[in-house]
Amino acid sequence: LVQRRGRVDFLRAGVGDVESGRPIRRNDHLRTASNGKAFSGAVALQLVDDGSLSLDSTIAALLPDQPAAWGAVTLRQLLQHTSGVPSFPTSDAWQDFVRMNPGASVTPQFTLGFVANEPLLFTPGSTYKYSNSDNLIIGLMAEAVTGRPYAELLQELVYSPLKLKQTS
């Protein structure tokens, strides 16, 4: 939706149903995919602002159950995609799992398990490489410092202030 000077335009591309070719409708539910990274960044930075998190908070300090090799990676590096943590969609095992279980609901911990035994791709902070794993870890860090589910944090810190009533 694009809103300007009181006018709302509904723009779309692609189809809402691949089999029938039906166009996307205004009330269809769509995956936001990597747009969610802006949301996790907003949650994390609000927690930095209120002192719950620091950009220098490390995986080891907040998530001791994650691989030791990831321990020194900071929130700053996760937000900047300079962590070196492997991106789970590149894992052959993850791709096989998704093919075999296309509608499965999985936890971030389960998903990160597909790359937990892989080494860091590079020294944290030395290189930029987009990683979907980074955002899962950011969400887990937010949960660790607040003791609240990430979905609840999204609702309170992102969806409600932006009046996103049909976003989940």
Side-chain angles (χ1 to χ4, degrees), residues 60-147:
L62 298 176
L63 305 171
D65 57 326
Q66 292 303 314
W70 303 356
V73 172
T74 65
L75 176 62
R76 177 188 325 272
Q77 292 161 339
L78 293 164
L79 288 166
Q80 294 175 336
H81 292 290
T82 61
S83 72
V85 174
S87 190
F88 67 88
T90 63
S91 161
D92 291 339
W94 168 256
Q95 292 173 22
D96 291 343
F97 174 80
V98 171
R99 252 189 306 282
M100 299 300 292
N101 306 280
S105 179
V106 296
T107 65
Q109 295 88 336
F110 176 82
T111 305
L112 289 170
F114 286 93
V115 293
N117 294 324
E118 294 181 25
L120 289 173
L121 300 175
F122 49 83
T123 301
S126 68
T127 302
Y128 171 87
K129 185 161 180 66
Y130 188 87
S131 173
N132 287 290
S133 299
D134 289 349
N135 274 49
L136 295 182
I137 298 168
I138 291 167
L140 291 172
M141 291 174 95
E143 288 182 341
V145 298
T146 64

